[in-house]
Amino acid sequence: MNLPYSIVTTLFIAFVVWLGAYVQPGNAGVPAGTEPRAPQNTAESTLYSATEIEQRFQLIKLSGITAALPLKDVTILWDRFTRQERLHQHLNTPSPDVYVLYRQFSEDFTQARITIGYKQTELEDSEDRTTYIPAGIYHPLPAPDGDITKAWSQIDFNRKPLAVIEQFRLSPSGELNAPKLFVLYK
Amino acid sequence: MEFLNWAFTPEQLFDMESWIGDWFFILALGLFFLELVCYSVRKQISWNLLGDSATNFVTLAAYIGITSTVIAGFYLGVFMYVYEHFSLTHLPMTCWSILACLLLADLAYYWEHRFLHSCGIGWATHTVHHSSPNFNISVAYRFGPLDGLFPLFFYLPLAFLGFHPLMIFLCEMLVQIYQTLLHTEVVKKLPKPIEAVLNTPSHHRVHHATNTEYLDKNYAGILIIWDRMFGTFAEEQETVRYGVYPRLNSLNPVKVFFHGFLKLARQIYSAPNWSYRWRLLANSPKWAWDQEQKLQAADS
């Protein structure tokens, strides 16, 4: 095969492989395993206390807004999120879940890359730019009296969290209810 | 097959890459030691071989020095910038994506490798790797000064396609690791189905040969099918003679590391005009060799 044909063939192969990656299960059409689920009786689950019920998030795609911020400034991002009229208008359910994803923490865990958004499956028209919730076994932490800060205080930062997820149920009146917190440790 | 849907964080990919890279180096040193034992048993070991191997590791240190201080930050920055601002999409960091990325990284490796053999500027750095008259695991670590730069141009399109830079680096490293294992004379031929699809020590010996019929053949990283497809494949038949022409005949690591660029600089300095200088950079080393032969013939 001469050089021009070789280059054209290479481009064709690259396109086919890329297309395969693009339409992989979970990335197009109906995402596979998008619902958090309790794991099977795996060996991993015995590593932790019996009161912890690990949850595995797989390929949950969020549409929302992202910023690298000090954790104490997350309210700024919440303000921006509430002003995302276009995003809220595309909701296909009256009471969706709102996710707050914290990842790429600074060494001292005072800053992180924070995303606030909806699951794409709960939107009629998803944004092109999406954020993936890192898959893995998450450890739920209880939020007594619905106080999410009490859940945060139970995070073991010595175990180097890779990601923290806050999950809220948004009521039709705009209130955030039923807070849940999940941690993915290194 | 559920594992294919598992996704990773960038941190996990980075940890994976570091872990594999570090431990593979230990494994490679172990394999090199076994090769030395085999050479000893066959009474083929010599001070020259040991000196050449030591030189290989010195070039590795020099390569790491240049790459980590000059190239790495720039390299990562460019990849992240393209991924954040110009990528078609952001592909999920799943095993599916890693498999696709690995396949494309292997294809990119083929073209990068072919490029290094096809132009003067590429050959100036890559000739270091080929200049050893021996063929063992240590030769895989014989690097030239700019070996860390050229992959940028061939792997960057993967960031444009939406693969995360850390995934690309992981796959780039996996291809390199596979390549490293091919540098051995201990393994002869593998079963035919393997030789048909995968790159093997036999195929890679051909690539390091100076035998005329083996020149510019077998550029593949993991899959030899790229060479078969693009017409650059040759089967190992006659005994391979390793090295480059003209022979380097030196164990001096400084000379080994820089000899390609020194030679290119000398050629450029003594070139008759700017057109010729440009061709020295862009044309194949064989073109430069042919020109030198013509000049010598004319002089005599």
PDB file of all heavy atoms in Angstrom, chain A residues 1 6 10 17-18 24-25 27 37 56 59 104 129 132 134-135 186, chain B residues 2 6-7 9 11 15 84 90 92 94 96-97 103 111 161 229-230:
ATOM      1  N   MET A   1       0.854  -1.184   0.000  1.00  0.00           N
ATOM      2  CA  MET A   1       0.000   0.000   0.000  1.00  0.00           C
ATOM      3  C   MET A   1       0.898   1.243   0.000  1.00  0.00           C
ATOM      4  O   MET A   1       1.815   1.327   0.825  1.00  0.00           O
ATOM      5  CB  MET A   1      -0.890  -0.012   1.267  1.00  0.00           C
ATOM      6  CG  MET A   1      -2.059   0.945   1.169  1.00  0.00           C
ATOM      7  SD  MET A   1      -3.061   0.968   2.694  1.00  0.00           S
ATOM      8  CE  MET A   1      -3.871  -0.632   2.645  1.00  0.00           C
ATOM      9  N   SER A   6      -2.123   4.513   2.631  1.00  0.00           N
ATOM     10  CA  SER A   6      -1.881   4.116   4.028  1.00  0.00           C
ATOM     11  C   SER A   6      -2.430   5.168   4.983  1.00  0.00           C
ATOM     12  O   SER A   6      -3.030   4.844   6.013  1.00  0.00           O
ATOM     13  CB  SER A   6      -0.379   3.942   4.285  1.00  0.00           C
ATOM     14  OG  SER A   6       0.133   2.929   3.479  1.00  0.00           O
ATOM     15  N   THR A  10      -5.464   4.743   7.573  1.00  0.00           N
ATOM     16  CA  THR A  10      -5.252   5.053   8.997  1.00  0.00           C
ATOM     17  C   THR A  10      -6.371   5.950   9.526  1.00  0.00           C
ATOM     18  O   THR A  10      -6.910   5.708  10.615  1.00  0.00           O
ATOM     19  CB  THR A  10      -3.888   5.745   9.184  1.00  0.00           C
ATOM     20  OG1 THR A  10      -2.866   4.826   8.798  1.00  0.00           O
ATOM     21  CG2 THR A  10      -3.680   6.166  10.634  1.00  0.00           C
ATOM     22  N   VAL A  17     -12.611   3.238  15.143  1.00  0.00           N
ATOM     23  CA  VAL A  17     -12.305   2.945  16.549  1.00  0.00           C
ATOM     24  C   VAL A  17     -12.904   4.023  17.459  1.00  0.00           C
ATOM     25  O   VAL A  17     -13.487   3.732  18.502  1.00  0.00           O
ATOM     26  CB  VAL A  17     -10.775   2.833  16.766  1.00  0.00           C
ATOM     27  CG1 VAL A  17     -10.446   2.676  18.247  1.00  0.00           C
ATOM     28  CG2 VAL A  17     -10.224   1.648  15.987  1.00  0.00           C
ATOM     29  N   TRP A  18     -12.755   5.272  17.032  1.00  0.00           N
ATOM     30  CA  TRP A  18     -13.312   6.376  17.829  1.00  0.00           C
ATOM     31  C   TRP A  18     -14.832   6.240  17.943  1.00  0.00           C
ATOM     32  O   TRP A  18     -15.408   6.430  19.012  1.00  0.00           O
ATOM     33  CB  TRP A  18     -12.944   7.715  17.188  1.00  0.00           C
ATOM     34  CG  TRP A  18     -13.595   8.877  17.864  1.00  0.00           C
ATOM     35  CD1 TRP A  18     -13.188   9.488  19.016  1.00  0.00           C
ATOM     36  CD2 TRP A  18     -14.804   9.543  17.460  1.00  0.00           C
ATOM     37  NE1 TRP A  18     -14.060  10.507  19.342  1.00  0.00           N
ATOM     38  CE2 TRP A  18     -15.058  10.561  18.406  1.00  0.00           C
ATOM     39  CE3 TRP A  18     -15.675   9.388  16.382  1.00  0.00           C
ATOM     40  CZ2 TRP A  18     -16.153  11.411  18.309  1.00  0.00           C
ATOM     41  CZ3 TRP A  18     -16.762  10.233  16.284  1.00  0.00           C
ATOM     42  CH2 TRP A  18     -16.994  11.233  17.243  1.00  0.00           C
ATOM     43  N   GLN A  24     -20.013   3.415  22.903  1.00  0.00           N
ATOM     44  CA  GLN A  24     -19.882   2.329  23.884  1.00  0.00           C
ATOM     45  C   GLN A  24     -21.067   2.352  24.855  1.00  0.00           C
ATOM     46  O   GLN A  24     -21.681   3.406  25.061  1.00  0.00           O
ATOM     47  CB  GLN A  24     -18.582   2.474  24.662  1.00  0.00           C
ATOM     48  CG  GLN A  24     -18.522   3.701  25.544  1.00  0.00           C
ATOM     49  CD  GLN A  24     -17.213   3.796  26.285  1.00  0.00           C
ATOM     50  OE1 GLN A  24     -17.030   3.177  27.317  1.00  0.00           O
ATOM     51  NE2 GLN A  24     -16.294   4.581  25.748  1.00  0.00           N
ATOM     52  N   PRO A  25     -21.384   1.188  25.415  1.00  0.00           N
ATOM     53  CA  PRO A  25     -22.506   1.147  26.347  1.00  0.00           C
ATOM     54  C   PRO A  25     -22.328   2.192  27.441  1.00  0.00           C
ATOM     55  O   PRO A  25     -21.268   2.289  28.042  1.00  0.00           O
ATOM     56  CB  PRO A  25     -22.417  -0.266  26.944  1.00  0.00           C
ATOM     57  CG  PRO A  25     -21.664  -1.051  25.949  1.00  0.00           C
ATOM     58  CD  PRO A  25     -20.720  -0.100  25.279  1.00  0.00           C
ATOM     59  N   ASN A  27     -22.364   5.431  26.971  1.00  0.00           N
ATOM     60  CA  ASN A  27     -21.995   6.745  26.472  1.00  0.00           C
ATOM     61  C   ASN A  27     -22.982   7.261  25.440  1.00  0.00           C
ATOM     62  O   ASN A  27     -22.964   8.414  25.076  1.00  0.00           O
ATOM     63  CB  ASN A  27     -20.603   6.724  25.842  1.00  0.00           C
ATOM     64  CG  ASN A  27     -20.051   8.116  25.681  1.00  0.00           C
ATOM     65  OD1 ASN A  27     -20.234   8.954  26.547  1.00  0.00           O
ATOM     66  ND2 ASN A  27     -19.401   8.384  24.566  1.00  0.00           N
ATOM     67  N   ARG A  37     -26.471   1.002  42.795  1.00  0.00           N
ATOM     68  CA  ARG A  37     -27.042  -0.252  43.268  1.00  0.00           C
ATOM     69  C   ARG A  37     -26.145  -0.825  44.348  1.00  0.00           C
ATOM     70  O   ARG A  37     -24.940  -0.563  44.371  1.00  0.00           O
ATOM     71  CB  ARG A  37     -27.167  -1.256  42.118  1.00  0.00           C
ATOM     72  CG  ARG A  37     -25.842  -1.591  41.480  1.00  0.00           C
ATOM     73  CD  ARG A  37     -26.027  -2.652  40.410  1.00  0.00           C
ATOM     74  NE  ARG A  37     -24.779  -2.940  39.746  1.00  0.00           N
ATOM     75  CZ  ARG A  37     -23.794  -3.638  40.270  1.00  0.00           C
ATOM     76  NH1 ARG A  37     -23.897  -4.114  41.479  1.00  0.00           N
ATOM     77  NH2 ARG A  37     -22.690  -3.857  39.591  1.00  0.00           N
ATOM     78  N   ARG A  56     -22.286   1.499  44.069  1.00  0.00           N
ATOM     79  CA  ARG A  56     -21.433   1.659  42.901  1.00  0.00           C
ATOM     80  C   ARG A  56     -22.144   2.545  41.884  1.00  0.00           C
ATOM     81  O   ARG A  56     -23.240   2.242  41.442  1.00  0.00           O
ATOM     82  CB  ARG A  56     -21.123   0.286  42.294  1.00  0.00           C
ATOM     83  CG  ARG A  56     -20.150   0.354  41.159  1.00  0.00           C
ATOM     84  CD  ARG A  56     -19.820  -1.029  40.690  1.00  0.00           C
ATOM     85  NE  ARG A  56     -19.102  -1.776  41.723  1.00  0.00           N
ATOM     86  CZ  ARG A  56     -18.769  -3.054  41.579  1.00  0.00           C
ATOM     87  NH1 ARG A  56     -19.106  -3.714  40.507  1.00  0.00           N
ATOM     88  NH2 ARG A  56     -18.120  -3.656  42.537  1.00  0.00           N
ATOM     89  N   LEU A  59     -20.986   5.250  35.326  1.00  0.00           N
ATOM     90  CA  LEU A  59     -21.255   6.069  34.156  1.00  0.00           C
ATOM     91  C   LEU A  59     -22.474   6.967  34.303  1.00  0.00           C
ATOM     92  O   LEU A  59     -23.305   7.030  33.414  1.00  0.00           O
ATOM     93  CB  LEU A  59     -21.415   5.177  32.913  1.00  0.00           C
ATOM     94  CG  LEU A  59     -20.099   4.708  32.323  1.00  0.00           C
ATOM     95  CD1 LEU A  59     -20.343   3.825  31.136  1.00  0.00           C
ATOM     96  CD2 LEU A  59     -19.217   5.877  31.930  1.00  0.00           C
ATOM     97  N   GLN A 104     -10.823  15.962  42.464  1.00  0.00           N
ATOM     98  CA  GLN A 104      -9.531  16.656  42.312  1.00  0.00           C
ATOM     99  C   GLN A 104      -9.281  17.588  43.503  1.00  0.00           C
ATOM    100  O   GLN A 104      -9.058  18.790  43.343  1.00  0.00           O
ATOM    101  CB  GLN A 104      -9.473  17.423  40.991  1.00  0.00           C
ATOM    102  CG  GLN A 104      -9.557  16.503  39.783  1.00  0.00           C
ATOM    103  CD  GLN A 104      -9.608  17.241  38.459  1.00  0.00           C
ATOM    104  OE1 GLN A 104      -9.208  18.386  38.340  1.00  0.00           O
ATOM    105  NE2 GLN A 104     -10.110  16.568  37.432  1.00  0.00           N
ATOM    106  N   ARG A 129     -21.170  19.186  26.734  1.00  0.00           N
ATOM    107  CA  ARG A 129     -20.117  18.991  27.722  1.00  0.00           C
ATOM    108  C   ARG A 129     -20.713  18.312  28.946  1.00  0.00           C
ATOM    109  O   ARG A 129     -21.635  18.839  29.564  1.00  0.00           O
ATOM    110  CB  ARG A 129     -19.507  20.320  28.124  1.00  0.00           C
ATOM    111  CG  ARG A 129     -18.771  20.993  26.998  1.00  0.00           C
ATOM    112  CD  ARG A 129     -17.417  20.368  26.834  1.00  0.00           C
ATOM    113  NE  ARG A 129     -16.811  20.788  25.587  1.00  0.00           N
ATOM    114  CZ  ARG A 129     -15.532  20.613  25.312  1.00  0.00           C
ATOM    115  NH1 ARG A 129     -14.745  20.036  26.152  1.00  0.00           N
ATOM    116  NH2 ARG A 129     -15.049  20.993  24.160  1.00  0.00           N
ATOM    117  N   TYR A 132     -18.626  13.138  34.144  1.00  0.00           N
ATOM    118  CA  TYR A 132     -18.917  11.773  34.567  1.00  0.00           C
ATOM    119  C   TYR A 132     -18.661  11.612  36.060  1.00  0.00           C
ATOM    120  O   TYR A 132     -17.629  12.068  36.560  1.00  0.00           O
ATOM    121  CB  TYR A 132     -18.035  10.781  33.813  1.00  0.00           C
ATOM    122  CG  TYR A 132     -18.351  10.704  32.347  1.00  0.00           C
ATOM    123  CD1 TYR A 132     -17.746  11.565  31.447  1.00  0.00           C
ATOM    124  CD2 TYR A 132     -19.273   9.790  31.871  1.00  0.00           C
ATOM    125  CE1 TYR A 132     -18.047  11.518  30.103  1.00  0.00           C
ATOM    126  CE2 TYR A 132     -19.580   9.728  30.528  1.00  0.00           C
ATOM    127  CZ  TYR A 132     -18.966  10.598  29.650  1.00  0.00           C
ATOM    128  OH  TYR A 132     -19.273  10.549  28.320  1.00  0.00           O
ATOM    129  N   PRO A 134     -17.163   9.565  38.676  1.00  0.00           N
ATOM    130  CA  PRO A 134     -16.207   8.458  38.635  1.00  0.00           C
ATOM    131  C   PRO A 134     -16.842   7.187  39.209  1.00  0.00           C
ATOM    132  O   PRO A 134     -17.471   7.238  40.267  1.00  0.00           O
ATOM    133  CB  PRO A 134     -15.052   8.940  39.514  1.00  0.00           C
ATOM    134  CG  PRO A 134     -15.220  10.414  39.625  1.00  0.00           C
ATOM    135  CD  PRO A 134     -16.674  10.688  39.487  1.00  0.00           C
ATOM    136  N   ALA A 135     -16.672   6.110  38.490  1.00  0.00           N
ATOM    137  CA  ALA A 135     -17.246   4.850  38.973  1.00  0.00           C
ATOM    138  C   ALA A 135     -16.392   4.290  40.098  1.00  0.00           C
ATOM    139  O   ALA A 135     -15.206   4.583  40.198  1.00  0.00           O
ATOM    140  CB  ALA A 135     -17.333   3.846  37.834  1.00  0.00           C
ATOM    141  N   LYS A 186      -9.561   6.388  47.955  1.00  0.00           N
ATOM    142  CA  LYS A 186      -8.492   5.934  47.069  1.00  0.00           C
ATOM    143  C   LYS A 186      -8.286   4.444  47.221  1.00  0.00           C
ATOM    144  O   LYS A 186      -8.313   3.936  48.315  1.00  0.00           O
ATOM    145  CB  LYS A 186      -7.198   6.678  47.425  1.00  0.00           C
ATOM    146  CG  LYS A 186      -6.159   6.664  46.359  1.00  0.00           C
ATOM    147  CD  LYS A 186      -5.077   7.673  46.682  1.00  0.00           C
ATOM    148  CE  LYS A 186      -4.095   7.769  45.521  1.00  0.00           C
ATOM    149  NZ  LYS A 186      -3.076   8.784  45.764  1.00  0.00           N
TER     150      LYS A 186
ATOM    151  N   GLU B   2     -18.685  -7.041  32.299  1.00  0.00           N
ATOM    152  CA  GLU B   2     -19.130  -5.822  32.977  1.00  0.00           C
ATOM    153  C   GLU B   2     -17.951  -4.895  33.278  1.00  0.00           C
ATOM    154  O   GLU B   2     -18.101  -3.670  33.328  1.00  0.00           O
ATOM    155  CB  GLU B   2     -19.843  -6.200  34.283  1.00  0.00           C
ATOM    156  CG  GLU B   2     -20.586  -5.043  34.908  1.00  0.00           C
ATOM    157  CD  GLU B   2     -20.934  -5.294  36.363  1.00  0.00           C
ATOM    158  OE1 GLU B   2     -20.984  -6.465  36.778  1.00  0.00           O
ATOM    159  OE2 GLU B   2     -21.154  -4.309  37.066  1.00  0.00           O
ATOM    160  N   TRP B   6     -16.487  -0.298  33.686  1.00  0.00           N
ATOM    161  CA  TRP B   6     -15.910   0.369  34.847  1.00  0.00           C
ATOM    162  C   TRP B   6     -15.206   1.639  34.417  1.00  0.00           C
ATOM    163  O   TRP B   6     -14.502   1.659  33.420  1.00  0.00           O
ATOM    164  CB  TRP B   6     -14.914  -0.571  35.539  1.00  0.00           C
ATOM    165  CG  TRP B   6     -15.575  -1.404  36.575  1.00  0.00           C
ATOM    166  CD1 TRP B   6     -16.431  -2.432  36.347  1.00  0.00           C
ATOM    167  CD2 TRP B   6     -15.464  -1.257  37.982  1.00  0.00           C
ATOM    168  NE1 TRP B   6     -16.851  -2.950  37.530  1.00  0.00           N
ATOM    169  CE2 TRP B   6     -16.276  -2.253  38.556  1.00  0.00           C
ATOM    170  CE3 TRP B   6     -14.747  -0.407  38.808  1.00  0.00           C
ATOM    171  CZ2 TRP B   6     -16.399  -2.391  39.933  1.00  0.00           C
ATOM    172  CZ3 TRP B   6     -14.868  -0.554  40.177  1.00  0.00           C
ATOM    173  CH2 TRP B   6     -15.692  -1.535  40.726  1.00  0.00           C
ATOM    174  N   ALA B   7     -15.421   2.675  35.178  1.00  0.00           N
ATOM    175  CA  ALA B   7     -14.778   3.953  34.856  1.00  0.00           C
ATOM    176  C   ALA B   7     -13.729   4.288  35.909  1.00  0.00           C
ATOM    177  O   ALA B   7     -13.726   3.726  37.003  1.00  0.00           O
ATOM    178  CB  ALA B   7     -15.826   5.049  34.782  1.00  0.00           C
ATOM    179  N   THR B   9     -11.093   7.497  37.664  1.00  0.00           N
ATOM    180  CA  THR B   9     -10.802   8.921  37.805  1.00  0.00           C
ATOM    181  C   THR B   9      -9.424   9.172  37.194  1.00  0.00           C
ATOM    182  O   THR B   9      -8.615   8.243  37.056  1.00  0.00           O
ATOM    183  CB  THR B   9     -10.762   9.334  39.285  1.00  0.00           C
ATOM    184  OG1 THR B   9      -9.690   8.616  39.913  1.00  0.00           O
ATOM    185  CG2 THR B   9     -12.069   9.020  39.984  1.00  0.00           C
ATOM    186  N   GLU B  11      -7.010  10.457  38.636  1.00  0.00           N
ATOM    187  CA  GLU B  11      -6.028  10.071  39.651  1.00  0.00           C
ATOM    188  C   GLU B  11      -5.755   8.576  39.605  1.00  0.00           C
ATOM    189  O   GLU B  11      -4.611   8.129  39.740  1.00  0.00           O
ATOM    190  CB  GLU B  11      -6.528  10.453  41.056  1.00  0.00           C
ATOM    191  CG  GLU B  11      -6.625  11.944  41.308  1.00  0.00           C
ATOM    192  CD  GLU B  11      -7.954  12.523  40.847  1.00  0.00           C
ATOM    193  OE1 GLU B  11      -8.729  11.805  40.190  1.00  0.00           O
ATOM    194  OE2 GLU B  11      -8.217  13.701  41.126  1.00  0.00           O
ATOM    195  N   ASP B  15      -2.199   6.817  38.919  1.00  0.00           N
ATOM    196  CA  ASP B  15      -1.627   5.822  39.842  1.00  0.00           C
ATOM    197  C   ASP B  15      -1.315   4.522  39.115  1.00  0.00           C
ATOM    198  O   ASP B  15      -0.277   3.889  39.341  1.00  0.00           O
ATOM    199  CB  ASP B  15      -2.606   5.544  40.995  1.00  0.00           C
ATOM    200  CG  ASP B  15      -2.682   6.727  41.953  1.00  0.00           C
ATOM    201  OD1 ASP B  15      -1.838   7.625  41.841  1.00  0.00           O
ATOM    202  OD2 ASP B  15      -3.604   6.747  42.789  1.00  0.00           O
ATOM    203  N   GLU B  84      -9.181  20.113  26.820  1.00  0.00           N
ATOM    204  CA  GLU B  84     -10.176  20.996  27.443  1.00  0.00           C
ATOM    205  C   GLU B  84     -10.865  21.911  26.428  1.00  0.00           C
ATOM    206  O   GLU B  84     -12.018  22.271  26.602  1.00  0.00           O
ATOM    207  CB  GLU B  84      -9.516  21.855  28.535  1.00  0.00           C
ATOM    208  CG  GLU B  84      -9.043  21.066  29.750  1.00  0.00           C
ATOM    209  CD  GLU B  84     -10.206  20.543  30.592  1.00  0.00           C
ATOM    210  OE1 GLU B  84     -11.333  21.001  30.404  1.00  0.00           O
ATOM    211  OE2 GLU B  84      -9.952  19.647  31.422  1.00  0.00           O
ATOM    212  N   HIS B  90     -15.780  14.418  25.257  1.00  0.00           N
ATOM    213  CA  HIS B  90     -14.989  13.838  26.347  1.00  0.00           C
ATOM    214  C   HIS B  90     -15.455  12.399  26.533  1.00  0.00           C
ATOM    215  O   HIS B  90     -16.549  12.164  27.040  1.00  0.00           O
ATOM    216  CB  HIS B  90     -15.171  14.628  27.640  1.00  0.00           C
ATOM    217  CG  HIS B  90     -14.387  15.900  27.667  1.00  0.00           C
ATOM    218  ND1 HIS B  90     -14.378  16.762  28.732  1.00  0.00           N
ATOM    219  CD2 HIS B  90     -13.554  16.447  26.751  1.00  0.00           C
ATOM    220  CE1 HIS B  90     -13.585  17.788  28.463  1.00  0.00           C
ATOM    221  NE2 HIS B  90     -13.088  17.629  27.267  1.00  0.00           N
ATOM    222  N   PRO B  92     -15.819   8.765  28.097  1.00  0.00           N
ATOM    223  CA  PRO B  92     -15.759   8.320  29.495  1.00  0.00           C
ATOM    224  C   PRO B  92     -14.485   7.526  29.757  1.00  0.00           C
ATOM    225  O   PRO B  92     -13.956   6.879  28.860  1.00  0.00           O
ATOM    226  CB  PRO B  92     -16.998   7.428  29.640  1.00  0.00           C
ATOM    227  CG  PRO B  92     -17.335   7.007  28.265  1.00  0.00           C
ATOM    228  CD  PRO B  92     -16.912   8.120  27.358  1.00  0.00           C
ATOM    229  N   THR B  94     -13.510   4.678  30.792  1.00  0.00           N
ATOM    230  CA  THR B  94     -13.870   3.289  31.056  1.00  0.00           C
ATOM    231  C   THR B  94     -12.855   2.350  30.420  1.00  0.00           C
ATOM    232  O   THR B  94     -11.992   2.782  29.645  1.00  0.00           O
ATOM    233  CB  THR B  94     -15.243   2.977  30.434  1.00  0.00           C
ATOM    234  OG1 THR B  94     -15.128   3.210  29.017  1.00  0.00           O
ATOM    235  CG2 THR B  94     -16.327   3.869  31.002  1.00  0.00           C
ATOM    236  N   TRP B  96     -13.617   0.283  28.141  1.00  0.00           N
ATOM    237  CA  TRP B  96     -13.910   0.378  26.695  1.00  0.00           C
ATOM    238  C   TRP B  96     -13.000   1.430  26.054  1.00  0.00           C
ATOM    239  O   TRP B  96     -12.367   1.194  25.027  1.00  0.00           O
ATOM    240  CB  TRP B  96     -15.357   0.828  26.463  1.00  0.00           C
ATOM    241  CG  TRP B  96     -16.390  -0.248  26.490  1.00  0.00           C
ATOM    242  CD1 TRP B  96     -17.370  -0.405  27.429  1.00  0.00           C
ATOM    243  CD2 TRP B  96     -16.589  -1.313  25.553  1.00  0.00           C
ATOM    244  NE1 TRP B  96     -18.141  -1.491  27.129  1.00  0.00           N
ATOM    245  CE2 TRP B  96     -17.689  -2.075  25.981  1.00  0.00           C
ATOM    246  CE3 TRP B  96     -15.927  -1.700  24.377  1.00  0.00           C
ATOM    247  CZ2 TRP B  96     -18.163  -3.182  25.294  1.00  0.00           C
ATOM    248  CZ3 TRP B  96     -16.391  -2.814  23.695  1.00  0.00           C
ATOM    249  CH2 TRP B  96     -17.486  -3.538  24.156  1.00  0.00           C
ATOM    250  N   SER B  97     -12.999   2.596  26.679  1.00  0.00           N
ATOM    251  CA  SER B  97     -12.212   3.699  26.135  1.00  0.00           C
ATOM    252  C   SER B  97     -10.722   3.379  26.168  1.00  0.00           C
ATOM    253  O   SER B  97      -9.988   3.726  25.240  1.00  0.00           O
ATOM    254  CB  SER B  97     -12.477   4.984  26.917  1.00  0.00           C
ATOM    255  OG  SER B  97     -13.821   5.351  26.811  1.00  0.00           O
ATOM    256  N   LEU B 103      -5.599   0.822  21.087  1.00  0.00           N
ATOM    257  CA  LEU B 103      -5.535   0.470  19.666  1.00  0.00           C
ATOM    258  C   LEU B 103      -5.034   1.663  18.848  1.00  0.00           C
ATOM    259  O   LEU B 103      -4.148   1.526  17.986  1.00  0.00           O
ATOM    260  CB  LEU B 103      -6.931   0.040  19.191  1.00  0.00           C
ATOM    261  CG  LEU B 103      -7.023  -0.650  17.841  1.00  0.00           C
ATOM    262  CD1 LEU B 103      -6.201  -1.928  17.833  1.00  0.00           C
ATOM    263  CD2 LEU B 103      -8.473  -0.978  17.499  1.00  0.00           C
ATOM    264  N   TRP B 111       3.075   5.151  13.177  1.00  0.00           N
ATOM    265  CA  TRP B 111       3.377   6.301  12.316  1.00  0.00           C
ATOM    266  C   TRP B 111       4.497   7.148  12.883  1.00  0.00           C
ATOM    267  O   TRP B 111       5.317   7.698  12.133  1.00  0.00           O
ATOM    268  CB  TRP B 111       2.106   7.129  12.090  1.00  0.00           C
ATOM    269  CG  TRP B 111       1.216   6.473  11.084  1.00  0.00           C
ATOM    270  CD1 TRP B 111       0.041   5.838  11.311  1.00  0.00           C
ATOM    271  CD2 TRP B 111       1.470   6.355   9.672  1.00  0.00           C
ATOM    272  NE1 TRP B 111      -0.463   5.333  10.139  1.00  0.00           N
ATOM    273  CE2 TRP B 111       0.397   5.630   9.118  1.00  0.00           C
ATOM    274  CE3 TRP B 111       2.494   6.771   8.825  1.00  0.00           C
ATOM    275  CZ2 TRP B 111       0.303   5.327   7.752  1.00  0.00           C
ATOM    276  CZ3 TRP B 111       2.415   6.477   7.476  1.00  0.00           C
ATOM    277  CH2 TRP B 111       1.328   5.760   6.945  1.00  0.00           C
ATOM    278  N   LEU B 161      -9.648  13.729  19.793  1.00  0.00           N
ATOM    279  CA  LEU B 161     -10.786  12.804  19.655  1.00  0.00           C
ATOM    280  C   LEU B 161     -11.560  12.635  20.964  1.00  0.00           C
ATOM    281  O   LEU B 161     -12.642  12.052  20.970  1.00  0.00           O
ATOM    282  CB  LEU B 161     -10.303  11.436  19.173  1.00  0.00           C
ATOM    283  CG  LEU B 161      -9.791  11.368  17.734  1.00  0.00           C
ATOM    284  CD1 LEU B 161      -9.256   9.966  17.427  1.00  0.00           C
ATOM    285  CD2 LEU B 161     -10.886  11.725  16.735  1.00  0.00           C
ATOM    286  N   MET B 229      -0.355  -4.417   6.692  1.00  0.00           N
ATOM    287  CA  MET B 229      -1.365  -3.648   5.960  1.00  0.00           C
ATOM    288  C   MET B 229      -0.727  -2.557   5.105  1.00  0.00           C
ATOM    289  O   MET B 229      -1.119  -2.344   3.961  1.00  0.00           O
ATOM    290  CB  MET B 229      -2.306  -3.003   6.996  1.00  0.00           C
ATOM    291  CG  MET B 229      -3.616  -2.513   6.457  1.00  0.00           C
ATOM    292  SD  MET B 229      -4.560  -1.731   7.789  1.00  0.00           S
ATOM    293  CE  MET B 229      -4.988  -3.112   8.797  1.00  0.00           C
ATOM    294  N   PHE B 230       0.271  -1.882   5.649  1.00  0.00           N
ATOM    295  CA  PHE B 230       0.833  -0.714   4.968  1.00  0.00           C
ATOM    296  C   PHE B 230       2.096  -1.033   4.154  1.00  0.00           C
ATOM    297  O   PHE B 230       2.766  -0.130   3.665  1.00  0.00           O
ATOM    298  CB  PHE B 230       1.148   0.386   5.991  1.00  0.00           C
ATOM    299  CG  PHE B 230      -0.062   0.845   6.773  1.00  0.00           C
ATOM    300  CD1 PHE B 230       0.023   1.092   8.146  1.00  0.00           C
ATOM    301  CD2 PHE B 230      -1.293   1.028   6.145  1.00  0.00           C
ATOM    302  CE1 PHE B 230      -1.095   1.506   8.857  1.00  0.00           C
ATOM    303  CE2 PHE B 230      -2.406   1.437   6.862  1.00  0.00           C
ATOM    304  CZ  PHE B 230      -2.319   1.675   8.219  1.00  0.00           C
TER     305      PHE B 230
END
